């Protein structure tokens, strides 16, 4: 079935339209086990922690387009590992949220990094204010 639409006004709109079409095509051809996420992301993503700045608890959201070994680690300004939130755990494709309790850390700037299959995917900055 071919549907004519207007020309997308931006590349973002074009990607959204194509993504929706891909999901429509492949959602009917995949097996449903009942526990698979309905909205599998298209790219690796780690969102800005919320709230930021924070004291002492914050939430971190991330998305995985594929299943695999995943790590989520927090580093200080000198690059030293201070907290491991996920230590090379096998996760399915989907969206996730985790909490960070930094009660034992001092005020300052920290970086959190999402790793997938041993490769750093994304890093973001957060500020702890006590």
């Amino acid at each position: 079935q071919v549907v004519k639409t207007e020309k997308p006004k931006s590349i973002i709109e074009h990607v959204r339209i194509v993504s929706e079409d891909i999901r429509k095509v492949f959602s009917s051809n995949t097996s449903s086990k009942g526990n698979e996420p309905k909205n599998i992301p298209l790219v690796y993503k780690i969102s800005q922690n919320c709230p930021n700045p924070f004291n002492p608890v914050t939430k971190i959201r991330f998305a995985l387009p594929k299943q695999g070994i995943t790590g989520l680690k927090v580093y200080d300004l000198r690059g030293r590992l201070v907290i491991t939130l996920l230590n090379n755990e096998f996760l399915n494709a989907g969206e996730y949220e985790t909490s960070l309790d930094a009660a034992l850390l001092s005020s300052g700037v920290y970086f959190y990094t999402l790793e997938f299959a041993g490769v750093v995917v994304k890093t973001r900055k957060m500020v702890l204010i006590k």
Side-chain angles (χ1 to χ4, degrees), residues 41-48 60-65 94-96 114 121-122 124:
L42 298 175
V43 295
Y44 295 97
K45 180 180 176 185
I46 187 163
S47 299
Q48 186 63 53
I60 298 172
R61 293 179 185 211
F62 61 95
L64 306 173
E95 296 180 2
Y96 295 88
L114 177 67
V121 177
K122 296 274 183 176
R124 291 212 178 245

Side-chain angles (χ1 to χ4, degrees), residues 46-50 52 58-61 112 124-127:
I46 187 163
S47 299
Q48 186 63 53
N49 64 303
C50 184
N52 188 36
T58 188
K59 293 184 187 275
I60 298 172
R61 293 179 185 211
Y112 55 102
R124 291 212 178 245
K125 178 174 72 170
M126 62 183 164
V127 178

Side-chain angles (χ1 to χ4, degrees), residues 62-75:
F62 61 95
L64 306 173
K66 298 191 282 187
Q67 65 182 9
I69 304 298
T70 307
L72 184 60
K73 299 175 181 175
V74 178
Y75 298 89

Side-chain angles (χ1 to χ4, degrees), residues 5-127:
T5 61
E6 293 182 29
K7 183 178 177 184
K9 294 178 175 71
S10 68
I11 189 69
I12 295 171
E13 184 179 348
H14 178 71
V15 170
R16 182 188 56 76
I17 292 168
V18 170
S19 299
E20 288 174 6
D21 290 343
I22 290 171
R23 286 190 179 135
K24 288 177 188 174
V25 169
F26 288 104
S27 66
S28 61
N29 295 335
T30 57
S31 63
S32 63
K33 298 178 184 174
N35 59 356
E36 296 176 1
K38 291 184 171 120
N39 294 324
I40 297 176
L42 298 175
V43 295
Y44 295 97
K45 180 180 176 185
I46 187 163
S47 299
Q48 186 63 53
N49 64 303
C50 184
N52 188 36
F54 68 101
N55 177 26
V57 178
T58 188
K59 293 184 187 275
I60 298 172
R61 293 179 185 211
F62 61 95
L64 306 173
K66 298 191 282 187
Q67 65 182 9
I69 304 298
T70 307
L72 184 60
K73 299 175 181 175
V74 178
Y75 298 89
D76 66 11
L77 273 174
R78 294 184 178 180
R80 295 178 296 198
L81 178 65
V82 292
I83 295 176
T84 301
L85 297 170
L86 288 173
N87 189 18
N88 298 326
E89 295 182 29
F90 184 85
L91 297 179
N92 289 321
E95 296 180 2
Y96 295 88
E97 180 180 280
T98 187
S99 291
L100 166 64
D101 185 349
L104 299 177
L105 297 178
S106 59
S107 295
V109 176
Y110 294 88
F111 298 92
Y112 55 102
T113 300
L114 177 67
E115 299 173 4
F116 185 82
V119 177
V120 173
V121 177
K122 296 274 183 176
T123 300
R124 291 212 178 245
K125 178 174 72 170
M126 62 183 164
V127 178

